[in-house]
Amino acid sequence: KQWYQRRVAITAGTGYLYLTCFIVRCNYYFAWILADSVSNLSGFGFNGYDNDGSAKWDKITNVRPHKTECSSSLKVLTENWNIGTALWLRRVCYERSVIAPTAMTYLLSATWHG
């Protein structure tokens, strides 16, 4: 009986943790999508045209929530979450590092975020 109670507690705790983290991420999604919308309304988000001739409005996009939530790897997650910072880290650290560029980039990101 105790084993079952512990298992239910761990499962419920994990579900609660996931739900709580999702709600926190939604705050970021809201802020970034609102900022993206304002930038697009002012014209700053225009990024040229596709091969089809359709206008691209992703110049200032900073998050892709669906790709972030459904990412299958850490690489896909970092490419779709905080896109501006990820591009900056790629240009400033990853492409310039001679030794262990991935580790150096994560170290700089950890230092940057405190």
Side-chain angles (χ1 to χ4, degrees):
K1 188 173 182 177
Q2 290 178 350
W3 172 83
Y4 177 74
Q5 289 174 341
R6 280 186 298 214
R7 181 156 177 111
V8 169
I10 289 172
T11 306
T14 303
Y16 180 75
L17 179 65
Y18 178 78
L19 182 63
T20 304
C21 290
F22 176 73
I23 291 170
V24 170
R25 284 192 309 270
C26 284
N27 292 324
Y28 288 100
Y29 294 152
F30 176 77
W32 280 332
I33 290 172
L34 180 64
D36 191 22
S37 300
V38 170
S39 298
N40 288 343
L41 283 172
S42 63
F44 292 121
F46 184 70
N47 197 17
Y49 294 96
D50 280 352
N51 295 334
D52 304 343
S54 302
K56 295 189 310 184
W57 291 93
D58 60 352
K59 190 172 189 176
I60 303 179
T61 299
N62 206 26
V63 68
R64 295 182 189 104
H66 185 264
K67 290 184 180 179
T68 300
E69 292 298 321
C70 298
S71 61
S72 58
S73 68
L74 187 60
K75 180 184 183 302
V76 174
L77 177 69
T78 51
E79 286 176 349
N80 293 294
W81 173 265
N82 205 352
I83 297 168
T85 303
L87 291 173
W88 178 78
L89 285 168
R90 182 183 302 155
R91 284 191 302 264
V92 169
C93 187
Y94 185 81
E95 293 175 355
R96 296 179 184 184
S97 293
V98 180
I99 300 169
T102 303
M104 292 300 182
T105 304
Y106 281 118
L107 180 65
L108 177 62
S109 178
T111 304
W112 178 262
H113 285 89

